């Protein structure tokens, strides 16, 4: 919401010593966050003065254009006192008129520098300005003609045009629709700024009583439109220009000046917060009828779009059909134009939920809809309509017809029961009941009772519905900045849980492996799973849908971390990062549960049975660890050549986490999307598959924009945590020398190396300190269908030096066990 400071001060008196920064700081503390302070003339420098046109000589040009060669009195502003010669292409002025002149040396918005230059056969020393050239509006058909009493030639014109005006922009929360008006902002100033007094409510005015002479209105849906007011102005002159002060104010608020009638309705909406609509009364046929849309109906709105209506849309119709989407946008058939002389003014209160749904359904965003869908004061419809009529009569020469139509009554605000000391208990501040009552009355509430208060919110505050809302009002006026910052004391003997400690251990291990942690949105669509190449029957395609997704392309909770990780990696690659290594620990959502979740009561603690039913309805949400890497695993340099990321690096990263948990993962070949079928490993813990790792399929890399041979892994971290050794004993070290034994075993090509290693460990016994696969060979010296695996075995005792016979015996036992379990033959 943008508003000139002078407009705010028109409705509330602010002490002269309160600066704009102090005023906006205080409003920010109470909920109206400052977005910025600007000035229309901030980009204009140099001499900008009032000029009086002395002569105007039209000169037709060869291109068919006629320019005016003018002499303009600019007083002493040009340093000589002599008239200034200026070429002007506009024609909406005459000799004797006061105009706005920028002289050589001035700079207009956009960095447009003004100098004396020869054009159309004359030296033009300056420019006579239009509203667009000064950044005051879109009007470029003519220059600005000032009132006769604007000042003397040579006077600075900034104050006259409001160019020095400070424009304050506030960020308005959706629940504070009342602040989308000068009425609401001025009231906030009155209750927030020390010394601000005498709030003058622009919606507080005497209005004529309703009678039966007004335009007939029938409201068929009173719930959707509780109040409808109609007034008529006749004899309006559509050729009258909008007064400059109104144009300046609505332009400063970010709206465009259209015509006097439209500008007045917008002006009153900004002033009071109540959206107003005007019809060309001569185009309205019969009574106005407020109802819901009917199947098959359509209309053309003011933006020229043809819209098919829903049976949930609130519409306004006459004998000719639909003429408006109630509270959102009017219709083209009854639009006010340059020939409108009778104006039917509508001021109605609409159901906010219907307004929001209609605007979203038809993709219409309007200033009126923005206010109506957030909730507007229903009690000021008559006052707002009367204010519009007053301005149409004052500036447009019209006459207010005697008829006044008022249908319906504003819905009453329900009373809220709240403890008088609730604000003190919630905030920890010493807020007495008297101070709480004072604050609530300051924002417009009616408060009765002591100890237990009965609070009736004001009609412009539909956001106040429960005791916590009223408590927030009290605390924000007392001052959020006065709430002490007191940290709770941690109870002794507690700290991070086992799961939290292990999760951090996993993060530290991944960071140590060179991976950077990211956080992705947990939302996906079927297109994301298509990009992974998942089969139609893949369990990961069974998604839990969201009833109100943030993005229609990602309407479900994810069952895998890979879509978010791969997108993050592709984004980094697209920005020029050649080597990427990312990881994420987050939950995935697996649909299931025992039916819909029950709605639990809020006035008591749920029973154990109710909590069990709620827990049973929740889907499984296991914690996963995912990673992706591409580019170089080791950079090259003076120390030697680098190495590209390989599928084994993904396996190694996950096994490093398992090792940090005191676990050993078994690795087997697998074929699972989105991995390359020949470079994919299944990761097993105690015989159960807990994840997969390997090189991504080339089609997946190409589709997502990742480099070829990128790698990824995903593992069930909950399963690893459940089996983890939480407190690992310190390792024992032997001071005795190691005995080295190497063995080469011939096994079938389909036998996993991990199975052979496990058999060797089992057979070697307690003397085995480490085992490492250092060579895999297939070739002419190995029988077809077989492979040779070479292992380095290291034996050591804690109490003695092993002799050759002990090391050999342990080696032979290991080979024998491998032969028994895997069919291995020693080469």
């Amino acid at each position: 919401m943008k508003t000139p400071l002078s407009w705010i001060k028109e409705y509330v008196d602010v002490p002269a010593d309160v600066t704009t920064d102090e005023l906006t700081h205080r409003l920010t503390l109470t909920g109206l966050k400052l977005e910025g302070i600007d000035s229309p003339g901030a980009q204009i420098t140099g001499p900008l003065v009032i000029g009086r046109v002395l002569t105007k000589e039209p000169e037709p040009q060869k291109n068919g254009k006629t320019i005016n060669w003018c002499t303009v009195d600019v007083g002493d502003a040009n340093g000589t006192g002599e008239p200034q010669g200026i070429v002007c292409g506009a024609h909406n002025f005459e000799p004797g008129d006061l105009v706005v002149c920028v002289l050589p040396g001035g700079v207009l918005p956009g960095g447009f520098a003004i100098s004396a230059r020869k054009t159309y056969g004359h030296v033009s020393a300056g420019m006579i300005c239009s509203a667009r050239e000064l950044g005051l509006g879109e009007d470029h058909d003519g220059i600005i003609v000032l009132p006769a009493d604007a000042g003397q030639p040579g006077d600075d014109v900034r104050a006259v045009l409001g160019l020095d005006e400070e424009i304050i922009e506030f960020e308005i929360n959706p629940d504070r629709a009342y602040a989308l008006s000068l009425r609401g902002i001025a009231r906030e100033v009155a209750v927030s700024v020390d010394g601000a007094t005498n709030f003058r409510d622009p919606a507080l005015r005497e209005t004529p009583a309703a009678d039966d002479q007004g335009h007939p209105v029938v409201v068929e849906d009173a719930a959707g439109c509780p109040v409808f007011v109609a007034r008529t102005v006749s004899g309006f002159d559509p050729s009258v220009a909008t007064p400059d002060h109104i144009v300046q104010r609505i332009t400063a608020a970010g709206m465009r000046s259209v015509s006097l009638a439209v500008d007045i309705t917008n002006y009153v909406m900004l002033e009071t917060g109540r959206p107003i609509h005007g019809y060309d009364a001569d185009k309205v046929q019969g009574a106005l009828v407020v109802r819901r849309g009917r199947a098959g109906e359509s209309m053309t709105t003011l933006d020229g779009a043809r819209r098919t209506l829903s049976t949930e849309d609130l519409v306004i119709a006459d004998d000719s059909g639909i003429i408006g989407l109630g509270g959102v946008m009017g219709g083209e058939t009854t639009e006010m134009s340059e020939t409108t002389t009778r104006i039917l003014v509508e001021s109605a209160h609409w159901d906010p939920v219907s307004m929001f749904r209609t605007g979203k359904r038809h993709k219409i965003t309007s200033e009126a809809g923005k206010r109506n869908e957030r909730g507007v004061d229903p009690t000021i419809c008559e006052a707002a309509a009367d204010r519009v009529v007053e301005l149409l009569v004052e500036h447009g020469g019209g006459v207010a017809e005697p008829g006044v139509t008022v249908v319906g009554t504003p819905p009453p605000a329900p009373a809220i029961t709240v403890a008088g000391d609730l604000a003190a208990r919630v905030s920890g501040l010493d807020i007495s009941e008297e101070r709480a009552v004072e604050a609530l009355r300051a924002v417009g509430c009616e408060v009765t009772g002591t100890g237990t208060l009965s609070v009736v919110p004001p009609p412009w505050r539909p956001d106040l519905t429960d005791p916590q809302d009223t408590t927030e009002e009290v605390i924000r006026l007392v001052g959020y900045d006065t709430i002490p910052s007191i940290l709770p004391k941690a109870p002794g003997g507690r700290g991070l849980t086992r799961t939290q400690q292990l999760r951090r251990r996993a993060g530290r291990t991944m960071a140590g492996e060179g991976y950077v942690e990211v956080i992705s949105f947990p939302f996906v669509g079927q297109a994301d799973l298509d990009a992974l190449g998942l089969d139609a029957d893949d369990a990961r395609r069974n998604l839990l849908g969201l009833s109100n997704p943030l993005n229609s392309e990602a309407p479900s909770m994810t069952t895998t971390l890979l879509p978010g990780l791969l997108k993050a990696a592709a984004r980094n690659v697209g920005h020029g990062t050649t080597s990427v290594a990312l990881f994420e620990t987050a939950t995935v959502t697996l649909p299931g549960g025992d039916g819909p979740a029950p709605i639990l009561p809020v006035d008591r603690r749920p029973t154990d049975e109710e909590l069990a039913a709620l827990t049973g309805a929740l889907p499984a949400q296991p914690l996963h660890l995912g990673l992706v890497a591409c580019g170089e695993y080791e950079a090259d340099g003076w120390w030697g050549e680098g190495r590209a990321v390989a599928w084994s690096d993904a396996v190694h990263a996950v096994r490093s986490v398992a090792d940090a948990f005191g676990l050993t993962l078994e690795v087997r070949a697998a074929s699972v999307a989105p991995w390359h079928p020949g470079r994919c490993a299944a990761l097993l813990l105690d015989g159960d598959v807990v994840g997969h790792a390997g090189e991504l399929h080339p089609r997946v890399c190409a589709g997502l924009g990742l480099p070829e041979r990128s790698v990824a892994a995903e593992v069930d971290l909950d399963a690893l945590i459940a089996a983890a050794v939480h407190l690992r004993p310190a390792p024992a070290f032997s001071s005795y020398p190691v005995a080295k034994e190497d063995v080469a075993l011939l096994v079938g090509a389909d036998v996993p190396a991990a199975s052979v290693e496990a058999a060797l460990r089992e057979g070697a016994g307690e003397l085995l300190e480490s085992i490492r696969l250092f060579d895999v060979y297939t070739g002419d010296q190995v029988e077809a269908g077989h492979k040779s695996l070479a292992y380095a075995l290291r034996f050591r005792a804690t109490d003695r030096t092993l002799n050759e016979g002990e090391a050999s015996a342990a080696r032979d036992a290991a080979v024998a066990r491998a032969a028994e379990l895997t069919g291995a033959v020693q080469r």
Side-chain angles (χ1 to χ4, degrees):
M1 176 70 184
K2 295 182 178 180
T3 178
L5 179 60
S6 63
W7 203 359
I8 297 174
K9 291 183 177 180
E10 192 171 299
Y11 305 117
V12 62
D13 295 334
V14 180
D17 60 347
V18 175
T19 66
T20 304
D21 287 341
E22 291 171 342
L23 182 145
T24 54
H25 174 69
R26 187 58 198 169
L27 288 176
T28 296
L29 289 177
T30 54
L32 296 189
K33 179 184 175 184
L34 173 67
E35 282 289 290
I37 302 174
D38 198 7
S39 173
Q43 299 183 52
I44 301 175
T45 60
L48 187 70
V49 300
I50 297 175
R52 186 184 303 278
V53 179
L54 301 179
T55 64
K56 174 186 176 186
E57 300 176 13
E59 296 182 357
Q61 304 297 310
K62 294 180 181 179
N63 59 6
K65 182 178 179 180
T66 298
I67 62 97
N68 295 301
W69 170 240
C70 308
T71 55
V72 184
D73 178 11
V74 293
D76 295 329
N78 58 4
T80 65
E82 296 297 322
Q84 199 87 348
I86 300 177
V87 171
C88 183
H91 305 283
N92 65 318
F93 64 98
E94 298 298 334
D97 285 343
L98 296 181
V99 295
V100 179
C101 297
V102 57
L103 303 181
V107 178
L108 297 181
F112 183 54
I114 304 299
S115 61
R117 62 190 182 91
K118 188 171 183 179
T119 180
Y120 294 106
H122 300 279
V123 176
S124 181
M127 177 188 291
I128 303 175
C129 300
S130 69
R132 182 191 292 179
E133 290 159 346
L134 296 178
L136 295 176
E138 295 299 320
D139 186 7
H140 196 59
D141 294 332
I143 52 90
I144 297 173
V145 178
L146 300 171
D149 59 353
Q152 297 300 316
D155 291 348
D156 193 293
V157 78
R158 287 173 172 80
V160 177
L161 298 178
L163 291 173
D164 291 333
E165 176 75 270
E166 291 182 299
I167 309 298
I168 306 174
E169 182 176 3
F170 296 103
E171 178 185 316
I172 308 300
N173 290 337
D175 61 340
R176 296 190 181 273
Y178 68 93
L180 290 171
S181 68
L182 272 297
R183 181 193 188 210
I185 293 175
R187 179 180 281 108
E188 285 295 295
V189 171
V191 300
S192 302
V193 178
D194 293 339
T197 58
N198 195 22
F199 168 65
R200 299 171 288 279
D201 190 343
L204 188 62
R205 60 192 292 120
E206 294 291 333
T207 58
D211 54 39
D212 57 0
Q213 302 179 47
H215 193 94
V217 175
V218 177
V219 177
E220 296 182 358
D221 192 326
C225 181
V227 182
F228 195 106
V229 175
R231 298 281 300 277
T232 305
V233 174
S234 57
F236 176 77
D237 184 357
S239 65
V240 176
T242 306
D244 290 340
H245 76 280
I246 293 181
V247 173
Q248 291 172 14
R249 285 182 168 179
I250 64 175
T251 301
M255 303 183 72
R256 181 173 60 91
S257 175
V258 178
S259 65
L260 176 61
V262 174
D263 291 347
I264 284 175
T265 59
N266 287 334
Y267 184 83
V268 174
M269 178 182 68
L270 292 170
E271 188 179 59
T272 65
R274 164 56 61 190
I276 309 290
H277 185 67
Y279 303 87
D280 186 326
D282 293 330
K283 297 178 182 178
V284 177
Q285 303 177 26
L288 297 182
V289 179
V290 179
R291 58 174 174 82
R292 298 284 175 174
R294 296 166 184 160
E297 286 187 315
S298 63
M299 66 167 294
T300 302
T301 47
L302 289 175
D303 57 2
R306 189 70 182 175
R307 304 184 185 277
T308 301
L309 303 181
S310 163
T311 54
E312 295 183 6
D313 291 331
L314 280 166
V315 301
I316 302 170
D318 65 1
D319 293 347
S320 67
I322 309 296
I323 62 173
L325 277 173
V328 178
M329 186 172 286
E332 193 176 62
T333 58
T334 56
E335 179 182 8
M336 294 185 293
S337 67
E338 64 275 3
T339 62
T340 299
T341 58
R342 289 185 71 238
I343 298 174
L344 178 59
V345 178
E346 167 215 310
S347 177
H349 183 69
W350 306 93
D351 172 52
V353 174
S354 293
M355 295 303 94
F356 173 76
R357 290 176 176 171
T358 295
K360 188 173 183 180
R361 185 180 301 115
H362 295 286
K363 296 181 173 60
I364 297 177
T365 300
S366 66
E367 291 292 332
K370 182 167 67 175
R371 288 162 173 80
N372 281 324
E373 71 186 24
R374 286 165 170 78
V376 186
D377 186 348
T379 66
I380 64 169
C381 294
E382 295 168 75
D386 190 65
R387 175 64 168 153
V388 171
V389 170
E390 177 187 62
L391 293 176
L392 290 174
V393 170
E394 178 182 350
H395 300 294
V399 176
E401 294 188 5
V404 178
T405 302
V406 179
V407 177
T409 57
I416 303 170
T417 301
V418 57
D421 64 345
L422 182 59
R425 289 189 282 114
V426 168
S427 67
L429 296 173
D430 184 17
I431 302 175
S432 65
E433 182 177 308
E434 292 72 18
R435 179 68 181 94
V437 171
E438 177 187 349
L440 290 172
R441 286 175 176 165
V443 299
C445 296
E446 296 179 9
V447 185
T448 57
T450 56
T452 299
L453 308 177
S454 177
V455 181
V456 179
W460 58 85
R461 295 297 303 274
D463 58 302
L464 303 183
T465 59
D466 60 52
Q468 300 304 330
D469 293 332
T470 62
T471 298
E472 181 182 1
E473 289 300 299
V474 174
I475 296 173
R476 77 182 183 91
L477 292 190
V478 171
Y480 292 125
D481 55 325
T482 64
I483 299 176
S485 179
I486 302 175
L487 294 176
K489 294 181 179 180
R494 296 186 183 182
L496 297 177
T497 65
R498 173 183 181 275
T499 298
Q500 290 170 331
Q501 291 181 13
L502 290 170
R503 183 171 178 176
R504 292 191 179 190
R505 188 184 301 175
R508 288 194 299 269
T509 302
M510 290 300 299
E513 293 293 325
Y515 290 79
V516 177
E517 186 172 16
V518 296
I519 300 175
S520 304
F521 281 117
F523 311 122
V524 295
Q526 290 295 338
D528 296 311
L529 303 183
D530 292 340
L532 298 183
L534 303 190
D535 293 335
D537 58 350
D538 194 299
R540 287 169 291 179
R541 284 191 177 274
N542 184 21
L543 303 176
L544 179 68
L546 299 169
S547 60
N548 188 24
L550 294 177
N551 184 347
S552 60
E553 296 181 357
S556 305
M557 299 297 292
T558 188
T559 56
T560 169
L561 301 183
L562 293 180
L565 274 169
L566 298 182
K567 287 180 181 178
R571 190 178 305 115
N572 281 272
V573 170
H575 288 172
T577 304
T578 57
S579 298
V580 176
L582 308 175
F583 83 95
E584 180 176 15
T585 56
T587 58
V588 297
T589 303
L590 308 179
D594 303 328
I599 304 300
L600 301 185
V602 296
D603 58 343
R604 59 173 174 80
R605 185 188 185 282
T607 64
D608 293 341
E609 292 76 13
E610 290 172 332
L611 289 175
L614 179 62
T615 303
L618 296 177
Q621 299 178 73
L623 182 67
H624 277 203
L625 166 66
L627 65 91
V628 59
C630 60
E632 291 183 328
Y633 186 80
E634 296 175 355
D636 58 2
W638 59 264
W639 51 84
E641 294 184 358
R643 180 174 71 81
V645 168
W647 69 271
S648 57
D649 296 318
V651 176
H652 171 73
V654 178
R655 295 186 77 174
S656 296
V657 173
D659 182 66
F661 287 179
L663 305 174
T664 300
L665 294 180
E666 182 183 351
V667 180
R668 292 182 184 173
S671 180
V672 177
W675 289 278
H676 190 295
R679 301 187 183 98
C680 174
L683 306 173
L684 292 82
L685 177 65
D686 296 332
D688 296 325
V689 175
V690 293
H692 294 86
E695 182 181 308
L696 292 170
H697 196 287
R699 285 196 298 269
V700 174
C701 294
L704 293 173
L706 288 170
E708 294 182 354
R709 313 205 74 168
S710 296
V711 303
E714 184 168 12
V715 63
D716 185 343
L717 194 57
D718 270 348
L720 299 185
I721 289 174
V725 178
H726 181 213
L727 300 176
R728 302 178 66 182
F733 295 95
S734 173
S735 60
Y736 294 94
V738 66
K740 301 178 180 180
E741 297 285 346
D742 294 344
V743 295
L745 304 177
L746 191 66
V747 298
D750 59 345
V751 176
S755 298
V756 178
E757 179 182 326
L760 289 172
R761 285 184 181 278
E762 182 180 340
E766 62 180 14
L767 293 179
L768 180 67
E769 181 178 80
S770 67
I771 181 172
R772 179 175 64 89
L773 174 68
F774 67 87
D775 184 54
V776 179
Y777 175 74
T778 57
D780 295 340
Q781 300 180 29
V782 174
E783 182 182 350
H786 290 72
K787 60 186 175 183
S788 174
L789 304 177
Y791 292 90
L793 307 179
R794 299 297 180 260
F795 299 96
R796 195 191 310 255
T798 60
D799 57 350
R800 68 190 185 282
T801 299
L802 295 177
N803 59 42
E804 183 178 350
E806 289 177 307
S808 298
R811 178 201 62 201
D812 293 342
V815 171
R817 187 58 174 165
E820 178 184 350
L821 296 179
T822 66
V825 177
Q826 185 172 6
R827 294 182 65 191

